[in-house]
């Protein structure tokens, strides 16, 4: 028995082992297929990533010509490797980030090189023994001060990399000087190889399929506001679908159904707005380095986009609460629900429409006046709701059942206020950035067909080219506004 | 007249100029004073910044000994500058970030160095003309692939710097090889100088006043939850102050008064929770690189802190809405307000207390069982409120006036749910991280006095040492839990 069971175990072990070995290639294949799928998805989500990778490869190959091409090599020698380093470190995804890093690196090298040479000469005067001590002191002092300065928020956001390179170059130049008498040549070579590497980065980044951080910021803000509008408008659609039975109610029906999964994903698009803070800030920082491009002149008011972003986030917090209420387990009774329904639906529709108009206005860069009427409608719906609640005498009200409806109504009133604030900040942006005034003859349908096109294209990707096409094809630019064109190009020439 | 006015203008111009010149030193002084004040504040806000700056200075000075000290220099030559570069680039604020960058740099250099040497030999085989072409192709290929891989979120969060150094080293080694026949020596020197620089960074960063990212994450999460509790408890205090006249009401009184500015700042502490997403994630990434330290063993479940953080943010969104409601311009009538007052106040107090107990439990690393009773109380208050609203027949209710109270009540019910979720996630953290079980003999007053101490100290700074003192002095560690100590140290030895 024992032996039998033992051999059985053994056989089981071998069988398992064989199974495992047999399964190995299949497992490996599955892993590979999974990885290929992931890589494909990453590229499809934003094809600019593939292009960026090819651009980096191109820049590095170009800069390695320094090593291959004899006359260039004999001029720069081993210091040519600094050009390679510069390309690897400076080449970033967007033009703004690349320019910012390149300028930071260049200016910091120039400044630190000068100071390093000065420190070297000063140390030279103090004799053979004093020199290393004095140099060590200088290095310690500048590293400490520069590192501390990097904690300043303003310096951190724009000049952090410059400070790093400052510390590096100063230390390299002043310390190398102790051995190398040709310190000027070293400083000069470092500066020129870095400029060559930096220039290659900037040129390739700007010329070959440029990715503009400013354009990305512009699209991100518009997309975020559109997502908020989507949520509010979708509430209306669903309300329609279930024949106005109350807010809480229809969300349950939705949650049970099959088709809802896509809907839910679409509906919860606003969640990404909650955390877009950091990406907005870094994009605005990069955009500040960029020259004029496309529809954006140099010194476009990028900071105002951040203000719009903050207002959009305030609204997103309200919508998050709204979403929580709508998914809660207390349902609004149909009697009370149907009374406040219309006003709530109106507030929601009109705020949603206003937000979408605002998003469209940003996208095609016109004055957002078309949103104002929707905001007025939303405000009057809110007023109507208030008077409705005031006028009706409510006998025998079960307050518990009223809670969800009242809460939704109250948050919606808040949302209307937020929408108004968003509109104000976009009006400020539009006037500072000199958006075109909307064509008065432009019919609402036309605008909406433009909007539909715009929305569809924006769902594919926040690809700048698509948006430009929309603005140029579906909205003929009014002749009265042609005067703004030369101004933009003049501003661009300042760069 | 004309002349007179002209000379008047001239005189005015000179007077203005003189004024301006006179004001210049004062202006300069004011600017300097302002800057000194800012620098002082930056250092006082977190004295670890000053220490970090000094540490960087020390590391750089140490590494420049390579240049000064003859035997070392003759060994490494100019490649010693890579050690300086490593120190400048790798030395980060926290131990985890420094270790992560150092390991990334070391491993990437090793790997890329090996591959670079391989590519060099392969290219060598293809003859004089084929060599630069093949090398260029290799550089292009690896730069393109590596750059694309950097877009993977997982790689980006932990190995981004390693990928950068991989591209750099591969290009340097394979391309330098074209000129330099001592390619092995180059690879070897680069690796050893980088290890020397990296080791100096890691040693100084770990030995001299170390800043642990893990400890920072731990304190940040506890502080965030405490801030949420502060808001909810403060609501109660204010309610008491104005003798229970309703939520909306007292906020108005507060807004009018003088003393409120400090209060408001204190009250709006929760706002920082809304945007702490990114800092939490980066701290968790850094913490994963850290060895065991203080109370935290190696492989402490840092990811669970992120889960707690997400739950805390969900709660913060609700509190943001609550804050909006409380500051809105519709007041709750005292009649209806006074009815729901007690239940609302209880929900708020109990949730606040529960959150503070949870924060304390994280801080002193004990099982958060003391919070459970408060959560139960909050839940029963919510139930009571519901039954209150159900039982009472409400004749002639002006629903408009009821709105603020009902909304606040509804959001508070939501907050209670969020608090429960936070407690669940902290329970999970406590069991995975093997927090000590709370001492049963510990009286509530003792715990609360500990809490007060803890709160005060945490307001000074999230300084780890203060918190440790509290946990060791006010809470004697139970003897039954002493078995966890050797385990922790064993885990630490694995590092």
């Amino acid at each position: 028995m024992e032996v039998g069971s033992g051999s059985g175990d053994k056989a089981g072990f071998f069988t398992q082992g064989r199974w495992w070995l047999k399964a190995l290639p299949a497992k490996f294949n599955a892993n590979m297929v999974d990885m290929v799928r992931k890589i494909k998805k990453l590229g499809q989500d934003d094809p600019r990533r593939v292009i960026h990778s090819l651009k980096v490869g191109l820049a590095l190959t170009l800069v390695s010509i320094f090593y291959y091409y004899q006359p260039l090599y004999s001029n720069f020698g081993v210091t040519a490797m600094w050009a390679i380093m510069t390309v690897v470190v400076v080449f970033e995804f967007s033009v703004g980030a690349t320019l910012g890093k390149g300028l930071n690196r260049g200016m910091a090298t120039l400044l630190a090189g000068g100071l390093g040479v000065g420190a070297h000469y000063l140390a030279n005067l103090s004799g053979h023994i004093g020199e290393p001590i004095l140099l060590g002191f200088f290095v310690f002092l500048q590293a400490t001060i520069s590192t501390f300065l990097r904690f300043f928020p303003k310096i951190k956001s724009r000049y952090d990399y410059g400070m790093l390179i400052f510390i590096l170059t100063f230390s390299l130049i002043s310390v190398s000087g102790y051995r190398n008498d040709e310190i000027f040549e070293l400083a000069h070579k470092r500066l020129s190889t870095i400029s060559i590497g930096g220039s290659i980065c900037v040129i390739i980044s700007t010329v070959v399929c440029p990715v503009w951080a400013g354009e990305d910021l512009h699209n991100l803000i518009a997309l975020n506001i559109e997502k908020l509008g989507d949520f509010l408008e979708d509430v209306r659609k669903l309300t329609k679908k279930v024949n106005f039975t109350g807010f809480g109610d229809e969300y349950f029906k939705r949650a049970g159904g099959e088709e809802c999964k896509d809907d839910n994903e679409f509906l919860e698009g606003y969640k990404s707005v909650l955390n877009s803070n950091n990406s907005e800030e870094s994009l605005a920082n990069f955009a500040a380095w960029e020259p004029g491009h496309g529809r954006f002149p140099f010194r476009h008011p990028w900071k105002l986009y951040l203000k719009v972003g903050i207002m959009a986030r305030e609204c997103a917090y309200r919508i998050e609460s709204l979403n929580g209420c709508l998914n809660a387990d207390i349902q609004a009774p149909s009697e009370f629900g149907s009374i406040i329904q219309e006003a709530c639906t109106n507030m929601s529709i009109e705020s949603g429409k206003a937000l979408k108009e605002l998003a469209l206005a940003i996208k095609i860069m016109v004055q957002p006046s078309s949103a104002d009427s929707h905001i007025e409608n939303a405000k009057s719906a809110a007023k109507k709701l208030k008077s409705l609640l005031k006028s009706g005498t409510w006998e025998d009200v079960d307050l518990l059942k009223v809670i969800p409806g009242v809460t939704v109504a109250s948050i919606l009133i808040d949302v209307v206020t937020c929408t108004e604030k968003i509109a104000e900040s976009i009006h400020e942006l539009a006037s500072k950035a000199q958006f075109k005034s909307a064509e008065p003859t432009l019919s609402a349908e036309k605008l909406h067909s433009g909007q539909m096109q715009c929305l569809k294209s924006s769902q594919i990707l926040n690809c700048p080219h698509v948006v430009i096409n929309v603005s140029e094809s579906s909205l003929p630019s009014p002749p009265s506004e042609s005067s703004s064109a030369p101004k933009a190009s003049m501003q661009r020439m300042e760069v």
Side-chain angles (χ1 to χ4, degrees), chain A:
Chain A
M1 275 290 276
E2 233 183 334
V3 176
S5 122
S7 80
D9 273 3
K10 221 172 188 175
F13 177 81
F14 276 118
T15 321
Q16 271 189 2
R18 218 166 48 204
W19 269 111
W20 188 81
L21 273 177
K22 260 191 185 166
L24 199 64
K27 236 182 190 172
F28 180 76
N29 270 353
N31 275 344
M32 282 304 286
V33 167
D34 187 54
M35 211 171 96
V36 168
R37 201 181 44 76
K38 269 185 191 161
I39 290 176
K40 219 172 156 186
K41 192 178 172 299
L42 203 69
Q44 276 170 343
D45 279 353
D46 194 346
R48 298 179 300 175
R49 287 171 180 157
V50 181
I51 296 170
H52 171 71
S53 307
L54 291 170
K55 276 156 75 180
V56 173
L58 178 67
L60 257 183
T61 315
L62 271 182
V63 93
S64 50
I65 286 180
F66 274 97
Y67 272 87
Y68 304 141
Y69 193 53
Q70 190 62 42
L72 280 176
Y73 183 76
S74 55
N75 220 354
F76 288 106
V78 236
T79 54
M81 79 175 183
W82 278 327
I84 291 182
M85 257 181 216
T86 305
V87 169
V88 173
V89 176
V90 164
F91 211 123
E92 292 275 332
F93 189 58
S94 67
V95 176
T98 308
L99 254 172
K101 264 196 158 177
L103 287 178
N104 259 309
R105 192 177 171 99
M107 296 309 293
T109 304
L110 191 65
L111 203 66
L115 282 178
V117 169
H120 171 66
Y121 273 92
L122 215 66
N124 242 355
L125 297 178
S126 63
H128 197 65
I129 299 166
E131 192 177 351
I133 297 170
L134 208 61
L135 275 180
F137 175 71
F138 282 146
V139 167
F140 179 80
L141 198 71
Q142 69 85 21
T144 306
I145 293 174
S146 307
T147 306
F148 187 73
L149 288 178
R150 286 174 73 190
F151 285 112
F152 274 99
K154 267 188 194 168
I155 291 178
K156 189 155 196 72
S157 67
R158 290 202 67 181
Y159 306 107
D160 194 55
Y161 185 66
M163 296 304 286
L164 190 86
I165 294 300
F166 182 85
I167 302 175
L168 181 62
T169 306
F170 184 90
S171 308
L172 280 185
I173 297 281
S174 62
V175 166
S176 309
Y178 184 61
R179 290 286 159 197
N180 192 346
D181 281 336
E182 291 155 335
I183 191 170
F184 265 117
E185 213 185 310
L186 181 76
H188 164 251
K189 271 185 182 168
R190 182 164 161 80
L191 192 64
S192 46
T193 45
I194 283 180
S195 343
I196 290 168
S199 313
I200 288 179
C201 287
V202 169
I203 290 168
I204 290 183
S205 156
T206 319
V207 172
V208 186
C209 302
V211 174
W212 300 101
E215 189 126 31
D216 273 10
L217 176 65
H218 181 91
N219 291 330
L220 178 68
I221 295 284
L223 191 73
N224 279 352
I225 292 174
E226 197 184 297
K227 279 175 181 170
L228 302 181
D230 277 343
F231 179 90
L232 293 171
E233 274 226 302
D234 206 50
V235 165
R236 174 193 63 129
K237 269 187 235 151
L238 291 158
T239 321
K240 254 189 184 162
K241 207 190 279 170
V242 293
N243 213 11
F244 289 91
T245 56
F247 279 88
D249 220 328
E250 88 251 24
Y251 265 78
F252 283 138
K253 290 200 181 148
R254 221 167 52 71
E258 265 299 294
E259 40 145 13
C260 314
K261 281 198 174 163
D262 291 350
D263 262 18
N264 231 337
E265 217 166 81
F266 176 64
L267 204 65
E268 301 210 331
Y270 78 90
K271 287 216 186 255
S272 67
V273 184
L274 295 171
N275 288 322
S276 67
N277 185 24
N278 279 58
S279 47
E280 280 169 23
E281 269 172 20
S282 63
L283 281 177
N285 269 329
F286 297 152
W289 291 106
E290 286 174 355
H293 54 278
R295 300 171 293 164
F296 309 102
F298 185 56
R299 291 192 184 283
H300 191 68
W302 300 116
K303 293 236 158 173
L304 288 180
Y305 283 90
L306 293 183
K307 209 173 156 192
V308 177
I310 290 168
M311 293 300 154
R313 228 164 353 267
E314 293 266 311
C315 188
Y317 296 146
R318 304 294 180 279
I319 288 182
E320 168 81 6
S321 293
L322 204 59
N323 198 25
C325 290
L326 295 167
N327 288 318
D329 56 344
I330 319 170
Q331 294 185 24
S334 49
E335 187 213 351
F336 176 74
S338 60
I339 294 167
I340 62 162
Q341 193 76 54
E342 200 194 329
C344 281
T345 311
N346 274 344
M347 281 198 286
S348 184
I349 297 175
E350 295 294 339
S351 307
K353 272 188 184 165
L355 286 172
K356 284 190 174 181
E357 292 282 352
L358 289 169
L360 179 67
I362 292 184
K363 263 185 197 155
I364 59 179
M365 296 181 85
V366 297
Q367 295 285 341
S369 47
S370 60
D372 295 348
S373 63
H374 291 296
I375 290 175
E376 281 310 312
N377 289 346
K379 276 163 81 179
S380 70
K383 252 187 203 165
K384 201 178 155 195
L385 179 73
K386 283 179 196 172
S387 68
L388 202 80
L389 293 172
K390 214 170 196 169
S391 67
T393 45
W394 303 88
E395 285 180 17
D396 219 23
V397 174
D398 182 349
L399 269 179
L400 180 63
K401 284 194 176 166
V402 174
I403 282 190
V406 168
T407 310
V408 166
S410 164
I411 298 177
L412 274 175
I413 292 174
D414 243 24
V415 167
V416 173
T417 317
C418 284
T419 307
E420 216 184 334
K421 278 186 192 163
I422 293 176
E424 270 168 30
S425 62
I426 294 177
H427 269 289
E428 191 188 344
L429 170 67
S431 72
K432 283 266 169 64
Q434 294 170 310
F435 285 4
K436 288 175 286 184
S437 64
E439 178 127 328
T441 56
L442 200 68
S443 68
E445 292 95 52
K446 211 169 177 183
L447 202 70
H448 274 281
S449 76
Q451 189 176 8
M452 290 312 289
Q453 251 179 285
C454 225
L455 296 185
K456 269 179 205 156
S457 63
S458 76
Q459 274 157 28
I460 304 168
L461 185 80
N462 47 2
C463 174
H465 308 291
V466 183
V467 178
I468 294 174
N469 285 343
V470 171
S471 78
E472 284 175 1
S473 64
S474 64
L475 290 173
S477 74
S480 63
E481 295 301 323
S482 59
S483 61
S484 70
K487 190 162 191 184
S489 63
M490 258 176 66
Q491 277 178 290
R492 238 171 283 155
M493 274 165 65
E494 281 169 28
V495 187

